[in-house]
């Protein structure tokens, strides 16, 4: 029974020890450790080096010049605080996804459609990453945004031909 208290933490993990349900001590780093056997203490392990990914679905977003566009992004993130990641939310991936959608809407809403579809893609990704990180830090779920990638950014399918006609007219002019 007492030998069941031995546990091993991998080099890419941190462990959170709970004594009678409450967190006991700081996150435990890699190596062999001992805890009081269950039910007195339990251990939750979190991979802190794994790059996780969430993808937002394609959504219609209103731009700064009141034009609809369709957008989707992928967010890569990793855990920077295992205790917050484990305890401050029951579904941190869903929080990242919702915050990413919100941040993307905010950034696209401040820009014109012409900028978004041509020269502004890098600016959108950087600005969305910054807005997203601020929101996640405010929520305190212990994650760090590594990158934001635009998967899809285009006018809705129904009006795509009209956008191409306008672009062709500008080129002809």
């Amino acid at each position: 029974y007492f030998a069941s208290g031995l546990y091993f933490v991998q080099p890419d993990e941190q462990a959170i020890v709970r004594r009678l349900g409450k967190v006991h001590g700081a996150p435990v780093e890699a190596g062999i450790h001992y805890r009081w056997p269950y039910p007195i203490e339990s251990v939750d392990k979190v991979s802190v080096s794994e790059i996780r990914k969430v993808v937002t679905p394609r959504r219609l977003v209103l731009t700064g010049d009141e034009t609809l566009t369709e957008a989707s992004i992928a967010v890569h993130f990793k855990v920077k605080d295992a205790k917050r990641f484990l305890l401050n939310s029951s579904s941190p991936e869903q929080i990242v996804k919702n915050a990413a959608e919100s941040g993307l809407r905010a950034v696209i809403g401040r820009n014109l459609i012409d900028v978004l579809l041509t020269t502004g893609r890098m600016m959108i990704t950087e600005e969305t990453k910054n807005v997203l990180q601020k929101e996640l830090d405010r929520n305190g779920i212990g994650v760090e945004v590594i990158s934001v990638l635009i998967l899809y950014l285009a006018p809705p399918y129904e009006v795509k031909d009209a956008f191409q006609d306008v672009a062709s007219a500008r080129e002809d002019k």
Side-chain angles (χ1 to χ4, degrees):
Y1 177 73
F2 285 105
S4 69
L6 287 174
Y7 66 98
F8 185 74
V9 179
Q10 299 291 335
D12 65 335
E13 294 178 330
Q14 285 184 352
I16 305 297
V17 178
R18 297 184 197 204
R19 181 176 291 165
L20 300 174
K22 293 187 179 187
V23 174
H24 177 71
V28 179
E29 298 295 328
I32 297 175
H33 303 279
Y34 185 80
R35 64 166 171 83
W36 287 100
Y38 183 82
I40 298 171
E41 286 186 345
S42 62
V43 174
D44 296 309
K45 298 176 187 176
V46 177
S47 175
V48 293
S49 66
E50 174 187 357
I51 304 295
R52 300 161 193 253
K53 176 183 172 183
V54 294
V55 177
T56 64
R58 285 187 188 181
R59 301 271 192 213
L60 289 175
V61 182
L62 195 61
T63 64
D65 56 353
E66 297 181 2
T67 305
L68 280 177
T69 186
E70 211 172 357
S72 173
I73 60 172
V75 177
H76 295 93
F77 65 98
K78 70 177 187 173
V79 176
K80 70 177 177 181
D81 186 341
K83 186 175 173 182
R84 286 185 176 189
F85 182 79
L86 192 62
L87 302 175
N88 285 2
S89 171
S90 60
S91 60
E93 285 86 4
Q94 187 63 41
I95 291 175
V96 172
K97 186 176 183 178
N98 292 343
E101 283 188 47
S102 174
L104 181 64
R105 287 178 189 271
V107 170
I108 288 178
R110 290 192 294 257
N111 291 286
L112 303 175
I113 188 71
D114 291 334
V115 173
L116 296 173
L117 296 178
T118 56
T119 61
R121 285 181 173 262
M122 285 302 293
M123 179 267 307
I124 294 168
T125 58
E126 283 303 312
E127 202 172 329
T128 302
K129 179 182 173 186
N130 294 336
V131 168
L132 176 58
Q133 187 64 59
K134 285 178 187 173
E135 180 65 22
L136 295 174
D137 289 344
R138 191 178 66 77
N139 285 329
I141 61 167
V143 299
E144 176 186 0
V145 178
I146 304 298
S147 67
V148 173
L149 302 171
I150 297 174
L151 298 178
Y152 188 82
L153 181 61
Y157 181 75
E158 295 82 7
V159 296
K160 201 171 209 170
D161 293 336
F163 268 88
Q164 288 175 345
D165 290 346
V166 169
S168 296
R170 284 186 183 156
E171 288 176 13
D172 290 345
K173 182 181 174 185

